[in-house]
Amino acid sequence: MDLRAIAQGAKAASKKLALASNDVKNNTLHLLADQLWSNRAQILAENSLDVQDAEQAGLTQAMIDRLLLNEKRLEGICADLRSVACLPDPVGEKFDEIVLANGLRVHKQRVPLGVLAVVYESRPNVTIDVAGLALKSGNSVILRGGSETLRSNRTLVKVVRETLLQNSLPVDCVQFIDSPDRSLVLELMRLYEYIDMLIPRGGAGLHRFCRENSLVPVITGGIGICHLFVDGSANLDKALEVVRNAKIQRPTVCNALDTVLVHRSAAGIFLPALVEKLAKDGVTFRVDREAENLLVGAELSLPARSSIQPAGPGDFDTEWLSLVLGIKVVGGLDEAVEHIEQHSTGHSDGILTGSQENAQHFISLVDSAVVYVNASTRFTDGAQMGLGAEIAISTQKLHARGPMALRELTTYKWVACGDYQVRI
């Protein structure tokens, strides 16, 4: 596989795509949604084969859940494409307009980044989310999914490229590395002449490998050790439902809750209720010593009691991606913040509180991409945040942070318009 030729094709296609009108791009996205749905039988059949291979290979249930497509999930993918089509096009947007004393009219204008490379694992929905956002923002994209999703991604990209042809857009603006050869990832990272940004979506090992080896600028994120702190002033009944949603609504994703911190003044009431309720959902718990001592003396059903285990040395540094929840009792807000500073990956962390003062203190001190007050961490998602979809969730601080969508896939140029001025 000639990656340099692929990257060159993507670069050339990006120049043509940058000239496409908003109407053409939107029509393409709507047609793509239609075509995906029309081809759903083939897409789901290929995905089923990928899932079978994953099961035979002994992949975890979390990985298999990420890999799985069904009609409901495909319907959601199509809906996200239509949502992206309805969003304002950032390309060409003018801002920071000023007129200088010499008469020059200066503004900044949004332009596509150019060529994106996205390396990802497991989730075939990423293929369409990324392709849709790249098209709308005027960027070419080179996709490299995991070997476990090769059939699914091959079929999805085929539909994308056929749709591009139908709309007279350059087909090479969506490229796919149709090989599981891992050496190609390293080669991709060296093509800085053609690729403008690399986005890895996967485990910590992939992110570290990209940071250490890429010559292309890298945006990392998507690894979430997420926390909720239940303050002593919180409405405990409502807090219980928020914690449950954050943990079980979809436990295999990066914005699912990993650790709940509970103020000592609320722990005696809240923790037995939490364990009893979530144990019915199949959740097991890794608890610190104070929480364990408190729960030993509580009236719990046998299933709830058997779900409790003492926390091990690395448990509070684990992104569970499953029905496991860490529990720690803390003496107050500052101790909760200190724990988050030590163990969070800077993805999504929140406070459940009835105190506006505590909420503001938490917001000021917790340096995560998304900070929540009285809400589930599960909202850290491009579609949920009104972005239509997302290409990644950045936990970095430069260029983009949190869910990345259309605007985060653009840069800007300065434009200066004059009347034949010269500098004196």
Side-chain angles (χ1 to χ4, degrees), residues 62 224-226 243-244 246-248 250-253 256-260 274 278-279 281-287 307-312 314-316 318-327:
I225 299 177
C226 303
V243 171
R244 181 175 183 268
K247 181 69 252 180
I248 75 159
R250 194 174 177 192
T252 61
V253 294
L257 181 64
D258 295 290
T259 300
V260 61
L274 177 69
L278 268 63
D281 296 306
V283 177
T284 59
F285 305 91
R286 304 291 189 273
V287 302
S307 68
I308 302 167
Q309 300 178 32
D315 282 352
F316 291 120
T318 299
E319 182 187 25
W320 293 110
L321 301 174
S322 62
L323 289 173
V324 180
L325 180 64
I327 296 178

Side-chain angles (χ1 to χ4, degrees), residues 36-37 39-41 43-48 51 64-78 124-125 152 156 250:
L36 288 170
W37 191 246
N39 288 276
R40 64 187 180 279
I43 293 168
L44 297 181
E46 294 298 316
N47 179 254
S48 178
V51 170
I64 291 171
D65 179 69
R66 289 180 169 205
L67 167 60
L68 177 67
L69 285 178
N70 52 36
E71 284 205 355
K72 182 178 179 182
R73 290 186 180 183
L74 189 59
E75 190 174 19
I77 291 169
C78 294
N125 67 289
S152 303
L156 291 168
R250 194 174 177 192

Side-chain angles (χ1 to χ4, degrees), residues 197-220:
M197 180 184 290
L198 173 67
I199 302 173
R201 291 187 56 162
L206 173 63
H207 287 233
R208 183 169 55 252
F209 181 76
C210 291
R211 284 195 304 269
E212 293 174 354
N213 293 281
S214 181
L215 300 181
V216 177
V218 180
I219 291 282
T220 59

Side-chain angles (χ1 to χ4, degrees), residues 3 6-7 117-119 142-144 177 183-192 195 198 214 216:
L3 278 191
I6 288 175
V118 183
V119 180
I142 301 171
L143 300 163
R144 201 282 184 179
I177 300 177
S183 68
L184 294 173
V185 176
L186 183 60
E187 186 179 345
L188 186 71
M189 295 176 189
R190 304 301 170 91
L191 297 173
Y192 61 89
I195 299 171
L198 173 67
S214 181
V216 177

